[in-house]
Amino acid sequence: MPGEAAKLLQPHQVMVSCSKGISLASLETVEELLEGLVPPQFRSRLAYLSGPSFAAEVAAGQPTAVTVAAKDDQLAARVQALLSNPRFRCYRSTDVVGVEIAGALKNVLAIACGISDGLGFGNNARAALITRGLYEITKLAVARGANPLTMSGLAGMGDLVLTCTGDLSRNRTVGLRLGRGERLTDIQASMGGAVAEGVPTAVAIRTLSRKLGVECPIMEGIHRVIHEGANAQKVVTEVMSRELKPEVAPDIIKGVIVNGSSTNLLEVLAAAGPPHTPAVAEAPPLPPPPPALEMVALKEAAATAVESTKSILVEGGSSGERAEGRERAEVAMRPATVAVMAAGAGAVLGAAVVLIVSRWRRV
Ligand SMILES: NC(=O)c1ccc[n+]([C@@H]2O[C@H](COP(=O)([O-])OP(=O)(O)OC[C@H]3O[C@@H](n4cnc5c(N)ncnc54)[C@H](O)[C@@H]3O)[C@@H](O)[C@H]2O)c1
Ligand SMILES: O=P(O)(O)OC[C@H](O)CO
């Protein structure tokens, strides 16, 4: 019980939640639940780990990347440093609500993808579910105050792709079996106590999306299949036959209505700060071309060399004549060699100057 565990916390400790979900009773995320459970002095020590991370693969040392979120960037950085290793790379974020909503909602879509695959639908259907599902997750997350860019990160797109396509997922497995015709109660009874969190989250999301006034036809459809016994094929046809609309609805730009007030996506983006633009190194200028004189010498030398070589190789001649030809060719090539070396030295010098200037500028 987190409430009981909270009593054991020591002043120097931080708490990292790895759970994903939304409370059916209160529609709160794990973060909101924990904030209410831990003593006030620990609230600033809560961090949240999320992202594409099948436990079995992490345990086997497979390369994994996740997001560590905390309201305080310093705390996120501390946990990030503590947990990262060459096999487990942590990124950090201060968008706790975005990370939490994304982690909870992907479970519902994983069930949907499982159902789609179980029914025998193809790759197109799965890709459409993932993409349009992410759009619904984004709308809901933005309505809860999240940064929409978090949805394209590990906790959003990353975990969504993992659970919608990876057969280690419990949620996807439940969907697959539902799609093949098994009953939910039988599937759950056979799972040995393991929980497919998308099953209860589908209920929470339907309530939440209706409360927030955010249209989520896929989430609604999944709820009908899982909890109302609707025929999945029919639900797919209905969802596909809805009124045609733009891919990105104006309401997500102009403002999603949250409890009567508008959340403007552009304002959310602006609050997130300017996009990170790494300093772009100035392109080094091209080295100066070799002086015209050297170019002429180069051309002439090349032509003479070709002629001399021809006379040696094609015309043959006595050994004395061939030796003379080789000497003529060597002499003819000398200006070319000098010109090429001059051009090369110019290039190297040019590059060195650029390097020094750019270093000096950085300093
Ligand atoms: N297993 C993974 O690959 C994985 C990866 C990343 C994140 N997670 C997240 O970690 C969390 C735990 O996953 P897991 O794989 O350990 O699940 P699990 O099903 O193996 O274990 C969950 C445990 O929680 C207990 N439990 C369930 N409902 C409870 C309740 N109301 N009160 C108290 N205890 C309850 C169960 O008895 C069980 O012991 C989940 O939120 C999951 O999304 C799991
Ligand atoms: O097995 P699932 O479907 O609960 O997914 C486990 C994790 O959430 C994957 O990141």
Side-chain angles (χ1 to χ4, degrees), residues 1-360:
M1 289 284 170
E4 293 300 310
K7 292 180 194 158
L8 304 173
L9 281 173
Q10 299 296 311
H12 63 280
Q13 289 170 331
V14 297
M15 210 170 158
V16 183
S17 160
C18 302
S19 297
K20 300 163 183 173
I22 290 185
S23 159
L24 258 179
S26 63
L27 302 180
E28 288 171 301
T29 59
V30 176
E31 174 227 353
E32 290 161 334
L33 285 171
L34 283 179
E35 292 249 344
L37 285 168
V38 299
Q41 67 269 30
F42 287 107
R43 285 188 194 140
S44 59
R45 309 227 196 106
L46 292 169
Y48 304 86
L49 189 152
S50 197
S53 49
F54 285 139
E57 290 190 9
V58 176
Q62 295 281 354
T64 301
V66 297
T67 304
V68 170
K71 287 179 181 164
D72 173 16
D73 188 50
Q74 282 189 350
L75 174 63
R78 195 173 149 206
V79 176
Q80 176 187 35
L82 279 169
L83 298 183
S84 289
N85 67 49
R87 293 274 161 180
F88 192 79
R89 183 170 172 79
C90 299
Y91 288 82
R92 68 174 184 273
S93 167
T94 52
D95 184 13
V96 174
V97 68
V99 165
E100 288 277 279
I101 293 276
L105 269 59
K106 61 87 186 169
N107 287 329
V108 184
L109 286 160
I111 296 179
C113 286
I115 293 174
S116 174
D117 290 354
L119 284 170
F121 293 151
N123 298 309
N124 295 353
R126 196 189 315 115
L129 270 172
I130 292 173
T131 312
R132 295 305 299 173
L134 184 63
Y135 182 60
E136 291 185 13
I137 293 178
T138 305
K139 286 200 294 184
L140 274 164
V142 168
R144 291 292 316 271
N147 179 345
L149 295 180
T150 300
M151 304 308 128
S152 58
L154 291 160
M157 177 56 101
D159 214 358
L160 186 61
V161 169
L162 180 85
T163 14
C164 288
T165 62
D167 286 337
L168 284 177
S169 163
R170 294 164 290 196
N171 288 288
R172 176 178 156 77
T173 302
V174 164
L176 272 172
R177 291 175 66 179
L178 280 172
R180 289 176 189 146
E182 287 187 61
R183 282 152 38 107
L184 180 62
T185 44
D186 294 341
I187 300 168
Q188 286 178 315
S190 71
M191 288 176 64
V195 176
E197 290 162 316
V199 174
T201 306
V203 180
I205 286 311
R206 193 180 70 146
T207 313
L208 185 65
S209 61
R210 289 182 177 185
K211 192 175 163 197
L212 295 175
V214 177
E215 194 192 6
C216 293
I218 296 175
M219 300 284 186
E220 288 269 345
I222 300 162
H223 182 277
R224 285 172 53 209
V225 174
I226 303 177
H227 295 291
E228 297 171 28
N231 178 291
Q233 301 261 15
K234 268 177 102 175
V235 170
V236 171
T237 307
E238 282 168 23
V239 172
M240 295 287 281
S241 310
R242 286 172 310 119
E243 174 201 357
L244 298 176
K245 48 184 63 175
E247 187 167 27
V248 179
D251 68 344
I252 199 169
I253 303 292
K254 281 189 197 148
V256 180
I257 305 302
V258 184
N259 294 335
S261 66
S262 166
T263 305
N264 190 310
L265 180 61
L266 297 178
E267 281 170 13
V268 174
L269 281 168
H276 174 63
T277 44
V280 179
E282 276 180 40
L286 289 171
L293 190 63
E294 282 171 358
M295 285 300 286
V296 172
L298 189 70
K299 274 187 187 168
E300 282 177 358
T304 316
V306 168
E307 285 309 309
S308 304
T309 311
K310 261 194 207 164
S311 72
I312 298 162
L313 298 179
V314 181
E315 294 162 16
S318 68
S319 61
E321 284 168 338
R322 283 202 295 277
E324 190 194 335
R326 273 200 298 279
E327 196 182 330
R328 273 169 48 207
E330 208 182 300
V331 170
M333 287 298 289
R334 257 179 225 148
T337 314
V338 170
V340 169
M341 283 176 68
V348 171
L349 196 65
V353 169
V354 168
L355 199 68
I356 291 164
V357 168
S358 59
R359 271 168 184 260
W360 172 73

